[in-house]
Amino acid sequence: MVQIRDTCDTYGAWVHVDGAFGLLGRILPSSSTDNRSDSPFTLGHPLHDSYSSIAIGCGGMELADSITGDSHKLLNVPYDCGFFFSRDLAIATQVFQNAGAAYLGGSFTEPDTITSPLHIGIENSRRFRALPVYATLVAHGRYGIEEMLRRQVKLVRKIAEYIRSNSFYELLPHDRHIGEHFIVVLFRLSTPRWNEKLVEKINSYRKIYVSGTVWEGQPACRIAISNHAVDVDADYELVKSLLEEVPLQLKQESLGLP
Ligand SMILES: *Cc1c(COP(=O)(O)O)cnc(C)c1O
């Protein structure tokens, strides 16, 4: 990021960061010893409770000119709440400032203490999207949200560890350590000919929903954790028993067994 910032400064380019998920990663502690004096959390399993790789991955975001982040993902507020931070309010105001139509009322005569969204975005009418975000931030606070994210990351890493230990599967990317996982587990079956059926098969149980992707030219599967109600042990057991069952089922089917 430092290098990108320097280059952009040299050529006059704007740096934008897409922090859809990564923005919230910034609330996790950057050191694995987590000795921040104000943190109420104590260190547990080192593989599950080290966030230094996430801190590095999300590092330098503050050097950007603008940052977007999604609150309908990890903050679990209704769809389509996003954050948009910009260093330059004046640019948005120049572009989107309303000309002052009479029906738009008083906001043109009274000086605004908070810039109205009416003058800095493309929409004139909008739902009060900020309200659920505000309520969530107030209700859970910094540590409530941190605690939720820790549970989510812990579940991801337990699932990743399980996949790595089960010889039917390959954990991807091959060089990613358990402690480097954030909220996605990427994997595939080690038997290529069953791999195309993996996503459909897992979803057919209707217990979890996974999405398919391609990794190094081969089909792969993705588990993404973002639910606020994650219960590490219970959810881990559910995912584990499903992932145990699926390859056995695919094997039976490939042998033509019922
Ligand atoms: C989800 C996502 C988006 C788009 O977000 P929506 O607001 O849900 O349309 C953009 N970038 C990344 C990396 C995302 O994960």
Side-chain angles (χ1 to χ4, degrees):
M1 275 302 286
V2 170
Q3 222 169 331
I4 290 171
R5 179 74 266 173
D6 276 353
T7 308
C8 289
D9 286 343
T10 306
Y11 295 100
W14 183 272
V15 181
H16 175 73
V17 169
D18 178 350
F21 281 98
L23 182 59
L24 269 193
R26 297 276 300 210
I27 67 174
L28 291 168
S30 57
S31 135
S32 57
T33 52
D34 191 12
N35 51 11
R36 231 179 21 196
S37 58
D38 61 339
S39 173
F41 302 105
T42 51
L43 192 66
H45 191 303
L47 285 180
H48 298 154
D49 294 315
S50 164
Y51 307 108
S52 48
S53 66
I54 297 172
I56 293 167
C58 305
M61 231 184 243
E62 67 282 359
L63 299 174
D65 295 300
S66 58
I67 303 171
T68 45
D70 281 339
S71 25
H72 56 257
K73 291 177 178 167
L74 291 175
L75 272 190
N76 281 251
V77 299
Y79 198 73
D80 58 355
C81 293
F83 296 108
F84 179 60
F85 301 117
S86 172
R87 279 196 198 284
D88 202 328
L89 184 60
I91 292 180
T93 318
Q94 275 161 33
V95 174
F96 296 112
Q97 177 71 43
N98 261 279
Y103 71 92
L104 290 174
S107 58
F108 297 91
T109 48
E110 303 288 323
D112 282 333
T113 47
I114 299 173
T115 305
S116 166
L118 190 63
H119 303 307
I120 52 173
I122 211 165
E123 296 161 308
N124 268 7
S125 312
R126 59 167 76 201
R127 293 186 294 117
F128 190 2
R129 291 186 180 89
L131 184 60
V133 178
Y134 173 78
T136 294
L137 294 175
V138 169
H140 298 285
R142 189 201 176 301
Y143 290 127
I145 292 163
E146 180 179 336
E147 186 275 331
M148 174 195 73
L149 199 50
R150 283 173 182 258
R151 267 186 289 121
Q152 293 168 335
V153 173
K154 187 172 281 192
L155 177 61
V156 162
R157 292 177 178 182
K158 281 188 77 149
I159 295 171
E161 244 185 325
Y162 169 73
I163 287 171
R164 196 178 57 178
S165 73
N166 184 327
S167 58
F168 279 113
Y169 294 107
E170 278 175 35
L171 182 63
L172 302 168
H174 292 114
D175 59 355
R176 180 178 291 168
H177 300 290
I178 300 296
E180 289 173 332
H181 284 74
F182 181 32
I183 43 130
V184 169
V185 190
L186 183 67
F187 63 104
R188 67 173 157 238
L189 284 165
S190 29
T191 310
R193 65 181 190 285
W194 301 343
N195 219 15
E196 278 168 22
K197 296 185 189 155
L198 180 62
V199 168
E200 196 189 325
K201 193 69 186 172
I202 293 176
N203 290 338
S204 73
Y205 287 81
R206 297 186 166 267
K207 289 190 173 165
I208 65 173
Y209 181 85
V210 296
S211 53
T213 185
V214 172
W215 184 258
E216 292 173 338
Q218 299 296 320
C221 179
R222 190 170 34 200
I223 293 177
I225 306 292
S226 66
N227 196 292
H228 69 97
V230 159
D231 174 326
V232 177
D233 294 332
D235 295 339
Y236 171 70
E237 288 307 323
L238 185 143
V239 174
K240 177 173 167 251
S241 63
L242 190 60
L243 292 180
E244 238 155 28
E245 166 76 14
V246 162
L248 302 178
Q249 194 64 39
L250 287 168
K251 189 175 180 180
Q252 274 199 329
E253 285 170 19
S254 79
L255 295 172
L257 299 171

